[in-house]
């Protein structure tokens, strides 16, 4: 039986490799190839779906064959990360781990989304079946454009065991991206979240809601500001206002034109108009970046700083760039941030390798390593409460100092990422109406 299994497995591997090259074939033909593959597996292994697979649409044996088929292959990954910590983690931790675990070669490339989108569109028109990109890691706008252009492979995330076992399928950020239904064509692999910092030696308890924050700002003129809307932190702050104050259905799912969106954004403009006269410099000037915001906080000119790295304050206190009593907090009403996602181009030459790599990125080892402030400090995209104990401990065992916040605290106060088109238009609207 073992010999028969190995012989058929070898044949299956060849089928997978062949099918991976058929990105340009019709859905009907691809369905026939997939049916043939599944049929052979079922005949040989006699396997059935097992509970530990969660809701993944493949059995453990089927998934093992997919992973085995990727050995000694190359996975060409394109990413648009600019954060030095992220890039170091990928080079020093992620790539070696994936290569050793899967027995593959990973080649990392910098992604230019406009060029990639144009290239994939041209390849689709010209029926190029074997593309140069196997997987894309996105931190910025792109999914919506790629999906609209029909250049994404999928559905595939419903076939990944770690999606089923480690992520909450009902979570908005796992089902919607760029205001569009993900349809199992993307997987969130990490995220960040806006965190505020206050000086515990100067303030016993910080505001816990937007209403309390607004009251504090009015009662303490000149003690609050936020970075320029050209910065990620500034955008995250106004996105947090939108996620808290705007019509949720219209903000997240509404297919609205620019004028309609501006009507949705009105509560954000109203909030900022109310607090602007009481802000630092009477709101006539915003710090040009988070560095300047930190300096004002250190000097005691303002009461709060903010950053998308929840562990930021730890290093700043150590370097004496924050007051000794600095401590992180989030509003109980929530804060938002940005997610990082992985997708597979329609003509990826190694779809199996890309799927196997994305699955590993959702493992406890990778998520815990990414979350560890000694490595990067990025937030997990998985739910430790749903994971098996040995996997979740890779995350829960990570210690954060009192200056920072635990993953569980941040998750409890997470507001979904605002769709990128609306986030962009929100900034444009605020600049136009308020001159920010």
């Amino acid at each position: 039986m073992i010999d028969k299994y190995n012989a058929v497995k070898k044949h299956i591997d060849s089928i997978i490799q062949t099918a991976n090259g058929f990105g340009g074939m019709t859905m009907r033909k691809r369905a026939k190839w997939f049916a043939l593959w599944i049929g052979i597996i079922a005949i040989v292994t006699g396997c059935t779906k097992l509970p530990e697979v969660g809701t993944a649409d493949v059995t453990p044996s089927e998934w093992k064959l997919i992973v085995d088929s990727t050995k000694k292959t190359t996975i060409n990954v394109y990413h648009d990360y600019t954060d030095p910590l992220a890039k170091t983690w990928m080079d020093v931790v992620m790539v070696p781990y994936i290569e050793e675990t899967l027995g593959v070669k990973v080649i990392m490339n910098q992604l230019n989304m406009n060029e990639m989108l144009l290239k994939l569109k041209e390849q689709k028109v010209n029926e190029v079946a074997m593309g140069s990109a196997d997987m894309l890691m996105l931190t910025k706008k792109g999914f919506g454009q790629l999906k609209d252009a029909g250049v994404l492979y999928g559905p595939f995330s419903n076939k990944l065991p770690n999606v089923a076992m480690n992520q909450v399928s009902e979570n908005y950020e796992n089902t919607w991206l760029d205001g569009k239904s993900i349809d199992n064509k993307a997987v969130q692999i990490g995220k960040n979240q806006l965190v505020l910092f206050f000086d515990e030696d100067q303030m016993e308890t910080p505001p816990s809601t937007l209403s309390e924050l607004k009251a504090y700002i009015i009662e303490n003129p000149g003690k609050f500001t936020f970075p320029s809307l050209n910065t990620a932190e500034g955008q995250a702050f106004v996105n947090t206002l939108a996620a808290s104050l705007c019509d949720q259905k219209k903000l997240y799912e509404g297919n609205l034109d620019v004028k309609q969106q501006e009507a949705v954004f009105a509560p954000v403009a109203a909030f900022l108009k109310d607090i602007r006269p009481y802000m630092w410099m009477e709101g006539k000037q915003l710090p040009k970046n988070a560095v300047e915001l930190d300096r004002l906080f250190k000097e005691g000119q303002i009461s709060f700083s903010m950053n998308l790295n929840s562990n930021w304050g730890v290093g700043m206190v150590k370097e004496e760039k924050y007051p000794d009593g600095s401590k992180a907090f989030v509003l109980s009403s929530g804060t938002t941030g940005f997610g990082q996602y992985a997708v597979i181009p329609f003509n990826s030459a190694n779809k199996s390798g890309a799927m196997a790599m994305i699955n590993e990125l959702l493992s406890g080892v990778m998520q815990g390593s990414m979350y560890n402030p000694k490595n990067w400090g990025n937030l997990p995209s998985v739910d430790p409460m749903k994971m098996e104990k040995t996997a979740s401990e890779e995350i829960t065992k990570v210690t954060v100092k009192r200056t920072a916040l635990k993953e569980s605290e941040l998750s409890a106060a997470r507001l979904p990422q605002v769709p990128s088109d609306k986030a962009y238009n929100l900034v444009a609207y605020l600049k136009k109406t308020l001159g920010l």
Side-chain angles (χ1 to χ4, degrees):
M1 181 64 182
I2 296 298
D3 291 339
K4 182 180 178 182
Y5 174 90
N6 289 335
V8 177
K9 177 189 173 300
K10 183 177 180 180
H11 182 55
I12 291 171
D13 289 349
S14 68
I15 290 175
I16 295 173
Q17 292 298 320
T18 303
N20 279 343
F22 291 162
M25 65 167 47
T26 64
M27 288 298 293
R28 185 183 297 274
K29 288 184 178 179
R30 277 184 283 175
K32 288 182 178 179
W33 273 98
F34 188 73
L36 174 61
W37 168 41
I38 294 299
I40 294 173
I41 294 172
I43 292 171
V44 177
T45 64
C47 54
T48 56
K49 291 188 176 182
L50 302 178
E52 64 262 34
V53 185
T55 58
D57 290 344
V58 295
T59 66
S61 298
E62 290 166 357
W63 179 251
K64 183 178 184 304
L65 291 176
I66 291 175
V67 174
D68 287 346
S69 75
T70 70
K71 293 187 185 303
K72 298 183 180 181
T73 64
T74 297
I75 307 173
N76 284 293
V77 180
Y78 285 76
H79 71 89
D80 63 5
Y81 289 71
T82 55
D83 182 352
L85 288 175
K87 297 174 80 169
T88 298
W89 178 79
M90 289 191 292
D91 292 339
V92 176
V93 180
M94 181 191 77
V95 170
Y97 178 84
I98 296 296
E99 289 184 336
E100 181 179 352
T101 303
L102 298 178
V104 298
K105 175 68 176 176
V106 177
I107 299 178
M108 302 296 291
N109 308 274
Q110 196 66 40
L111 170 67
N112 181 307
M113 177 51 67
N114 291 333
E115 291 179 1
M116 179 61 70
L117 180 61
L118 179 60
K119 185 177 182 179
L120 289 173
K121 284 181 177 179
E122 291 177 346
Q123 290 178 342
K124 188 174 182 66
V125 170
N126 295 318
E127 299 183 349
V128 177
M130 302 283 279
S132 59
D134 295 315
M135 171 180 153
L136 309 182
M137 296 172 68
L138 311 175
T139 68
K140 304 175 181 67
K141 183 177 180 179
F143 172 78
Q145 296 168 298
L146 293 165
K147 187 181 181 190
D148 286 346
V151 294
L152 290 177
Y153 170 70
F156 74 88
S157 65
N158 54 314
K159 298 176 176 62
L160 308 187
N162 283 340
V163 167
M165 293 190 293
N166 300 345
Q167 289 190 325
V168 178
S169 59
E170 299 81 13
N171 187 298
Y172 174 86
E173 291 183 298
N174 291 331
T175 55
W176 289 81
L177 178 58
D178 287 351
K180 299 181 183 297
S181 175
I182 288 178
D183 294 333
N184 294 312
K185 293 184 178 181
V187 176
Q188 188 183 64
I189 53 177
K191 60 188 177 183
N192 55 34
Q193 186 170 343
L194 188 70
V195 172
L196 286 79
F197 298 93
F198 75 105
D199 185 354
E200 205 170 25
D201 294 334
Q202 301 296 322
M203 183 187 306
E204 184 175 348
T205 305
S208 64
T209 65
L210 277 180
S211 296
E212 289 183 11
L213 177 63
K214 182 178 182 179
Y216 178 89
I217 294 169
I218 294 173
E219 293 168 7
N220 299 271
K223 302 295 286 184
F224 177 84
T225 188
F226 55 89
S228 163
L229 294 185
N230 295 324
T231 68
E233 284 78 14
Q235 293 165 14
F237 178 71
V238 295
N239 285 350
T240 291
L241 296 181
S244 303
L245 302 172
C246 297
D247 183 302
Q248 301 290 289
K249 186 73 173 177
K250 293 180 180 178
L251 179 67
Y252 286 106
E253 299 176 24
N255 185 18
L256 312 176
D257 61 29
V258 175
K259 285 295 182 183
Q260 291 171 322
Q261 289 183 34
E262 290 181 351
V264 174
F265 302 149
V268 178
F271 182 94
L272 292 175
K273 283 180 182 177
D274 288 344
I275 67 170
R276 192 172 187 181
Y278 306 96
M279 289 173 57
W280 176 76
M281 299 290 288
E282 297 181 344
K284 297 175 181 177
Q285 178 181 333
L286 296 177
K288 63 182 180 181
N289 51 40
V291 174
E292 185 176 348
L293 187 77
D294 288 339
R295 178 182 61 78
L296 295 173
F297 178 55
K298 166 64 176 176
E299 295 172 355
Q301 293 193 50
I302 57 176
S303 299
F304 310 102
S305 191
M306 58 186 73
N307 203 281
L308 282 164
N309 185 336
S310 61
N311 294 284
W312 186 251
V314 177
M316 295 298 280
V317 170
K318 186 177 181 179
E319 296 172 16
E320 300 182 349
K321 294 180 179 179
Y322 268 10
D324 289 340
S326 297
K327 191 173 182 180
F329 76 102
V330 285
L331 300 170
S332 62
S333 51
T335 60
T336 189
F338 305 99
Q340 301 113 37
Y341 290 81
V343 300
I344 302 174
F346 79 100
N347 62 351
S348 163
N350 192 0
K351 296 182 179 70
S352 299
M355 289 170 63
M357 180 170 175
I358 295 170
N359 189 67
E360 284 301 326
L361 290 178
L362 297 182
S363 67
V365 173
M366 282 283 89
Q367 292 283 303
S369 171
M370 179 176 63
Y371 172 53
N372 193 323
K374 295 179 181 178
N375 298 330
W376 178 5
N378 201 40
L379 296 175
S381 66
V382 296
D383 182 1
M385 297 297 291
K386 187 180 179 185
M387 301 166 69
E388 293 182 353
K389 185 177 180 181
T390 54
S392 66
E393 285 177 346
E394 296 289 342
I395 298 171
T396 57
K397 74 180 180 183
V398 173
T399 58
V400 296
K401 296 185 180 296
R402 61 177 297 280
T403 316
L405 291 172
K406 296 179 181 178
E407 179 276 335
S408 56
E409 296 174 294
L410 290 166
S411 293
R414 176 78 177 187
L415 294 173
Q417 175 179 342
V418 175
S420 59
D421 65 323
K422 294 191 177 81
Y424 176 85
N425 290 332
L426 171 63
V427 168
Y429 168 71
L430 294 175
K431 287 182 177 180
K432 179 179 71 173
T433 58
L434 302 180
L436 292 174

